[in-house]
Amino acid sequence: MPRAPGQIDLAKTEAILDAAAEVFGERGLAASMEEIARRARVSKQTIYNHYGSKPELIRAIVDRRVAEITAPLLMPEAVDHPQEALAALGRSMLTAILTARGTSMLRMTVESAAEQPDLARAFFEAGPATSRRRLAEFLAMETENGRMAVDDPVLAAEFFASMVIGGHQIAQLLGVERQFTPAEIDRVAGEAAARFMKAYSA
């Protein structure tokens, strides 16, 4: 079946997002769309046809990452087992900030924020703000179902993120923290989930 005008296949979409994440991580938000197109082996017009603008491209990159990170909250068993869901979310969050690509893109975004405030805002709104909102929605649902007692889900979501990420993200940005083993990531995430559930038990 022929594609509609402007539609591109999934493989090309992934190639664009992968290339953009690499280029932004290497050169910051001021990186050119030409370089991204070259890396993805597509035309610059193809990128604009699909995403419209650089801020929308950034949102698409971060949307994809946030969907991966918050996936544990959408698993069928998450509703009945909130502590396990929170531990899985914590593992995803911590793993994301410890990857070289994730650290590089965040570092370059911070460095570019003063000169590219609109792009930095797009990164924040699609990333941290969205992941916290999804967690807050999950906590509100668990409270409504009587499994938790969270009076302020938005604030509680920030508390949980801080428990998991803590100073690890800053240390990664500064390049002063060693790489965590999977067992250490599990321990941090599990401990955060257990203490969080204890604080907000129904």
Side-chain angles (χ1 to χ4, degrees), residues 6-199:
Q7 182 181 2
I8 59 178
D9 59 50
L10 181 60
K12 193 171 290 187
T13 297
E14 293 299 307
I16 291 171
L17 295 180
D18 287 342
E22 289 177 1
V23 173
F24 286 136
E26 293 168 4
R27 305 191 179 184
L29 300 183
S32 71
M33 298 291 266
E34 287 85 354
E35 174 60 25
I36 294 170
R38 208 162 32 243
R39 193 84 57 98
R41 298 183 178 181
V42 300
S43 70
K44 184 173 73 169
Q45 190 59 50
T46 295
I47 299 177
Y48 278 113
N49 285 345
H50 195 61
Y51 296 104
S53 66
K54 188 184 284 188
E56 290 305 315
L57 176 58
I58 290 172
R59 286 191 180 92
I61 296 168
V62 182
D63 278 345
R64 181 177 65 168
R65 192 65 177 133
V66 168
E68 295 169 354
I69 292 171
T70 60
L73 300 179
L74 301 178
M75 298 296 288
E77 61 271 22
V79 174
D80 294 324
H81 304 282
Q83 183 169 330
E84 289 81 353
L86 289 171
L89 173 65
R91 284 193 295 273
S92 294
M93 293 173 68
L94 196 51
T95 299
I97 69 164
L98 294 175
T99 61
R101 178 181 289 186
T103 299
S104 177
M105 187 167 181
L106 179 57
R107 182 183 293 122
M108 296 303 291
T109 300
V110 171
E111 292 176 356
S112 304
E115 297 178 356
Q116 305 281 334
D118 291 343
L119 301 184
R121 187 176 300 109
F123 179 94
F124 176 77
E125 290 174 352
T130 297
S131 63
R132 304 299 191 274
R133 183 174 66 253
R134 291 180 184 174
L135 175 54
E137 291 168 353
F138 177 78
L139 297 177
M141 179 180 63
E142 290 299 292
T143 297
E144 184 176 344
N145 290 335
R147 297 184 183 89
M148 299 181 71
V150 182
D151 57 346
D152 188 338
V154 174
L155 184 59
E158 286 292 343
F159 287 161
F160 182 76
S162 297
M163 289 173 69
V164 173
I165 296 173
H168 303 307
Q169 189 169 55
I170 295 175
Q172 283 293 311
L173 290 173
L174 296 175
V176 298
E177 186 163 72
R178 60 180 175 77
Q179 189 65 41
F180 275 37
T181 66
E184 289 171 326
I185 291 175
D186 284 346
R187 179 175 176 273
V188 172
E191 184 76 10
R195 291 183 179 276
F196 189 83
M197 289 297 298
K198 185 176 181 180

